[in-house]
Every structure is written in C-alpha cells, then in structure tokens.
Amino acid sequence: TKAYVLVKEAYFLFVADRVDDAMQYLDEAEKIYQDTGNIYIETFVLAEKTQILEEYGDFKQARYLYHKMKRCMAEVPSMRTSYYIGISGLHIRQMRLKEAKQELDLAKEAMGEGYVTITSAYLYTLAEWFYVTGNFSETEKIIMNLAQPDCYQSVFYLARLVRYPVYRGKNREMAELFLENYKHADRLMKNMDTELLYAGIVYELGNIEEGMRLVDDLLMRARKVHNKVKIVECCLLKVRILLEQNRDPAKLLNLMAEAADAGNREIAVPFWFEKETMIKVFEKYSTELRTKLSEKDITFIQWAIAGGQKPAEAEKNAEDQLTEREQEVLEEIGNGSTNKMVADHLCISIATVKTHLINIYGKLGVNNRVAAINKYKSME
C-alpha cells in the first residue's frame, strides 16, 4: 500500500514539475520492492521513471531503465504491451524509426482484446510514427477514427488531435475549441505539452504578442526545471515566430544554438515538427548558422529534418520516395521556373508548390533549391 501511494504521489509531483521530489518518492517505492520482491512494484516504478526521464530529455537513462523493465516482463506479462508502446515512443523522439516500428509491431501482437486505454495509446503512438515518416494522411485517419464526441470536451484528448501542425492548420475550429476548453480545464490537464500547444495556437490564430509572451514564460520555466525536451520545443517555436514576424535575427540565432544542443541527447523529433521553419532558417541564415553552430550540430539538424536518415541513406532512398508530382516540381525549378511559374505550369497553387519543396528538401536531405536540383541531377 505504501509503495502504491508513493508511485501515485510521484506522478502528481511530476505533473507539478517537482521532478526531483517525484524521483525521490519512486526511489522509496523501489526500496519496498527490494525488501519484498514484489515485481509489480518494480514494474510500476520503472514505468513511471522512464516516463519522467523521457519527458525531461534524459533518453540514455530512460533507455537503460527500459532494458531493466524488459527483464520484468516474463513475470508480469500484462506489462508487455505498455513496455513496447513506451519504448517505441522513445525511439520516435530519437528518430530511430525502424526500431520504433519493430516495437509497435510487437505491441500489436501482445495487445489483448478489449483494452481500450492501451489500444488508444498504441494508436496514438502509431499515428506519430506515421507523422514523422511523412505519411500525414495515415496520421489524420487514425486520430479521426479515435475521436469520439466526448474527446472534444477533454483538453488531454483534444490536444492529441491538434498537436500535429499540418493537421491543425486544416482544422481551425478544432484549434479554437482547444483554446476554449484549455481555459476552463483542471490544472492537472495543463502540463507543459498542453501549455506549449496553447501558446502555439494562440500565435497561429493571430494573437502574436500573447503567443510570444506565453512561449517565453514556458521557456523560462523549462530552463528552471531543466526540461531539455521542452527547452528545444520552446526554442524552435520562438524561432518560427521570429522568422515569420521578421524580428531579431540575433535572438533567433541564439535560440537555434540553444536548441541545437539537443544533438548531444538525440532529441530529434522537435526539429521534424518544425521542419518547414528549419529549412527556411537554413536558407536565410546559412552563413550565420555556420559561425553559430558546430558542424556536428548542423549535421544533426539536417539528419532530423531528413526523417532520421544520414545523407548517404537519404540519397539512396530519395529517388524511390519522391512522388511523380515532386519530380515534376524539381524539373520545373531545374529549368529556372519561379514558384509562381511552377504553379501556373502544373495548375496548382503557390502554397502547394511550397509544400512540395519542403517535402523534397526533407527527402533529399538538403535545405535549398540549388542543392535540391544538384542532388536530383546526380541521381538521374
């Protein structure tokens, strides 16, 4: 009973950003496991510790504890699905996408019938895997199939639907509903994830100064509690705002340098979520970035926005990955066409041309038109 209370209270401390206290409670619970040998206590402690470590960007330690947790599964087979889903989520954050898919397949095998909560967790994680592999339509299909009428009253579940930028942009009403529900939500539902999403939507819906203030406040808190993941995500959102508002290039470059430190911890997926912004930043500030960031940092960011592929791998797979329309766009710009000319020639909008270019850059592992054309020609 004492171990159960400690684990439960540790979760509330974690939500309140009192991570050191939460880990201390979990250490106390683990001592009870050592005294009693109750394997269920150990699995609950490890599950919660990995969640905290992953959320705060200590991926190396989280991976170590996942390996300890795996050894418990023979005695607690009911934890197998949770284990596979959890570690696949960690792999996604590190853009280890092959490993993530393998774990998701094992989760599907281990999943019993009727476990609604576990099934939802599996599907949400699968939706994210599809998103970071560039399959946005599958992501949208999954999250809309999961959406039930009561989801729209819950900030937590609504956040799962509107967290993907490409999807949120198509569903302004849902984004506005999230804002309204967030204002009246219970404090426990307002973690850093929902706060960052709230700040981003406030900005995207036109309240620029309020959005900037919210993300600045959250970034300050993330630094204070050493939440490395949220530091990176806040920095990149602020970079997007400064870029789009054409403000303070010096601050933008400093934020890029702070976010780039993530390479040492393999915090990769936030760069993918802001892929479009990253490509524009590299186009506009290519020279300045090379004086501000190390070559290792630049390589890491380009690897992340290329979908977790090394340049050689990206080049090897790019020809097969490029759609017929993307190849037509490349051929047009290779002939010297502007975006408007490409749109006219292919009977599509300029916005669609830009979207194709962003996807092309990611698949080819480049960050500008000239490099894309040269890479494409070298593959022919």
Side-chain angles (χ1 to χ4, degrees), residues 97-109:
L97 301 181
K98 290 181 181 178
E99 293 95 326
K101 189 59 168 63
Q102 289 168 357
E103 303 291 356
L104 282 167
D105 289 343
L106 290 170
K108 188 175 182 180
E109 281 181 30

Side-chain angles (χ1 to χ4, degrees), residues 205-218:
L205 293 180
N207 196 336
I208 296 167
E209 299 307 322
E210 178 65 5
M212 291 182 72
R213 184 191 67 77
L214 288 167
V215 73
D216 282 339
D217 288 348
L218 186 56

Side-chain angles (χ1 to χ4, degrees), residues 142-154:
I142 290 172
I143 59 179
M144 288 313 297
N145 284 340
L146 283 169
Q148 301 295 327
D150 56 347
C151 288
Y152 297 100
Q153 304 305 315
S154 166

Side-chain angles (χ1 to χ4, degrees), residues 154-167:
S154 166
V155 170
F156 177 78
Y157 287 109
L158 194 54
R160 294 294 188 97
L161 302 181
V162 297
R163 68 189 297 256
Y164 302 100
V166 69
Y167 179 66

Side-chain angles (χ1 to χ4, degrees), residues 192-193 195-197 199-200 211-223 227-242 252 255-256 258-259 267 270 274 278:
M192 284 192 172
D193 279 331
E195 289 180 52
L196 183 62
L197 180 58
M212 291 182 72
R213 184 191 67 77
L214 288 167
V215 73
D216 282 339
D217 288 348
L218 186 56
L219 179 55
M220 189 181 303
R221 278 180 43 217
R223 288 167 175 158
N227 186 327
K228 299 295 185 182
V229 173
K230 282 296 165 288
I231 289 171
V232 174
E233 291 175 344
C234 288
C235 284
L236 296 182
L237 175 55
K238 190 65 184 291
V239 165
R240 170 154 55 99
I241 294 172
L242 292 174
L252 182 153
L255 289 164
M256 282 293 296
E258 186 175 4
I267 303 174
E274 291 290 353
M278 292 300 95

Side-chain angles (χ1 to χ4, degrees), residues 246-257:
N246 199 24
R247 297 187 189 181
D248 206 338
K251 182 178 286 188
L252 182 153
L253 292 168
N254 286 336
L255 289 164
M256 282 293 296

Side-chain angles (χ1 to χ4, degrees), residues 68-318:
K68 286 185 67 176
M69 190 175 169
K70 189 175 185 178
R71 293 199 294 269
C72 299
M73 289 194 301
E75 295 182 64
V76 192
S78 59
M79 292 294 293
R80 289 172 61 207
T81 307
S82 296
Y83 164 80
Y84 290 131
I85 293 170
I87 197 167
S88 64
L90 175 62
H91 287 322
I92 288 170
R93 284 186 159 183
Q94 297 177 293
M95 297 297 265
R96 298 171 180 262
L97 301 181
K98 290 181 181 178
E99 293 95 326
K101 189 59 168 63
Q102 289 168 357
E103 303 291 356
L104 282 167
D105 289 343
L106 290 170
K108 188 175 182 180
E109 281 181 30
M111 201 158 24
E113 294 294 330
Y115 291 95
V116 176
T117 304
I118 289 293
T119 302
S120 296
Y122 162 76
L123 289 172
Y124 278 123
T125 308
L126 182 63
E128 183 162 26
W129 183 84
F130 277 123
Y131 190 80
V132 298
T133 55
N135 195 335
F136 303 148
S137 61
E138 282 299 316
T139 298
E140 184 168 353
K141 187 187 302 181
I142 290 172
I143 59 179
M144 288 313 297
N145 284 340
L146 283 169
Q148 301 295 327
D150 56 347
C151 288
Y152 297 100
Q153 304 305 315
S154 166
V155 170
F156 177 78
Y157 287 109
L158 194 54
R160 294 294 188 97
L161 302 181
V162 297
R163 68 189 297 256
Y164 302 100
V166 69
Y167 179 66
R168 189 165 68 245
K170 298 177 184 176
N171 294 272
R172 179 171 178 142
E173 288 182 7
M174 195 174 288
E176 290 173 341
L177 179 60
F178 172 81
L179 293 192
E180 188 60 31
N181 287 3
Y182 179 89
K183 293 173 186 175
H184 302 99
D186 185 273
R187 176 65 188 90
L188 284 175
M189 303 303 271
K190 294 182 178 180
N191 58 20
M192 284 192 172
D193 279 331
T194 56
E195 289 180 52
L196 183 62
L197 180 58
Y198 179 79
I201 293 176
V202 166
Y203 165 72
E204 288 165 10
L205 293 180
N207 196 336
I208 296 167
E209 299 307 322
E210 178 65 5
M212 291 182 72
R213 184 191 67 77
L214 288 167
V215 73
D216 282 339
D217 288 348
L218 186 56
L219 179 55
M220 189 181 303
R221 278 180 43 217
R223 288 167 175 158
K224 186 176 180 181
V225 299
H226 307 292
N227 186 327
K228 299 295 185 182
V229 173
K230 282 296 165 288
I231 289 171
V232 174
E233 291 175 344
C234 288
C235 284
L236 296 182
L237 175 55
K238 190 65 184 291
V239 165
R240 170 154 55 99
I241 294 172
L242 292 174
L243 181 71
E244 291 176 353
Q245 301 305 315
N246 199 24
R247 297 187 189 181
D248 206 338
K251 182 178 286 188
L252 182 153
L253 292 168
N254 286 336
L255 289 164
M256 282 293 296
E258 186 175 4
D261 183 58
N264 296 321
R265 294 174 175 266
E266 296 185 33
I267 303 174
V269 82
F271 292 95
W272 171 267
F273 267 65
E274 291 290 353
K275 178 174 70 168
E276 185 173 344
T277 298
M278 292 300 95
I279 290 170
K280 290 176 181 177
V281 167
F282 273 95
E283 285 181 339
K284 188 170 184 178
Y285 298 108
S286 177
T287 303
E288 294 88 339
L289 283 171
R290 294 195 177 278
T291 62
K292 199 76 176 176
L293 308 181
S294 69
E295 194 61 39
K296 181 181 176 183
D297 291 337
I298 291 172
T299 299
F300 172 75
I301 294 171
Q302 292 179 332
W303 170 82
I305 65 176
Q309 293 185 349
K310 295 177 182 178
E313 293 173 330
E315 184 170 351
K316 180 181 177 182
N317 297 326

